[in-house]
Amino acid sequence: MQQSDLRRIPHLWFQDGGIVLQAGHSLFRVYQGVLSAQSSVFADVFSLAELGSEMTDKYDGSPLITLQDDSNEMEDFLRCIFDRQVFVRFSLYIDAYEPLIGVLRLSHKYNCPGLKRWALQ
């Protein structure tokens, strides 16, 4: 995939974020510590990977981790972690069923018990 095919997701592209996640054609620059605190799987990935090494892929100067997840599901999942107001927005709309399924799937996959509990309510 060409870098020109990739798109930054503005509301999940933090200029001072320390890690770039790629799902499909979408890029998210987020805070490694926040993600690690919410997800034991990401915490393990970050502790095992040598994120500062020359062997690590980079995007815009930050370590890049490519994920095999649906980009829309990853966007919803990360919004739930980094934008707590999205919880309220999801619960206000009937059509929030589909995004919640993705959040539930990824909260299980990445072991985010608090987020998983919320999605099941």
Side-chain angles (χ1 to χ4, degrees):
M1 182 178 313
Q2 300 286 330
Q3 278 202 356
S4 61
D5 295 335
L6 302 174
R7 66 183 177 94
R8 296 175 181 184
I9 305 303
H11 52 273
L12 290 164
W13 187 266
F14 302 105
Q15 289 301 322
D16 59 343
I19 190 88
V20 176
L21 303 177
Q22 178 186 343
H25 293 278
S26 298
L27 295 169
F28 313 92
R29 182 187 271 169
V30 295
Y31 302 105
Q32 181 179 335
V34 173
L35 202 51
S36 294
Q38 296 292 318
S39 164
S40 65
V41 173
F42 278 114
D44 289 346
V45 167
F46 298 149
S47 71
L48 294 175
E50 294 182 41
L51 296 178
S53 77
E54 292 178 15
M55 296 177 68
T56 303
D57 290 335
K58 300 230 187 264
Y59 184 90
D60 198 28
S62 294
L64 171 70
I65 295 179
T66 303
L67 306 169
Q68 301 303 312
D69 299 300
D70 177 80
S71 60
N72 292 323
E73 286 186 359
M74 182 55 65
E75 182 175 349
D76 293 334
F77 172 76
L78 291 173
R79 284 196 72 169
C80 285
I81 290 175
F82 290 97
D83 181 3
R84 297 294 174 169
Q85 292 301 316
V86 81
F87 285 15
V88 175
R89 283 179 258 160
F90 274 162
S91 64
L92 292 176
Y93 299 103
I94 298 293
D95 63 347
Y97 178 73
E98 188 174 331
L100 280 175
I101 294 296
V103 169
L104 181 58
R105 182 181 0 267
L106 294 183
S107 65
H108 176 75
K109 177 179 180 179
Y110 292 110
N111 194 27
C112 301
L115 187 54
K116 183 178 177 180
R117 234 182 341 271
W118 173 82
L120 286 170
Q121 292 180 351

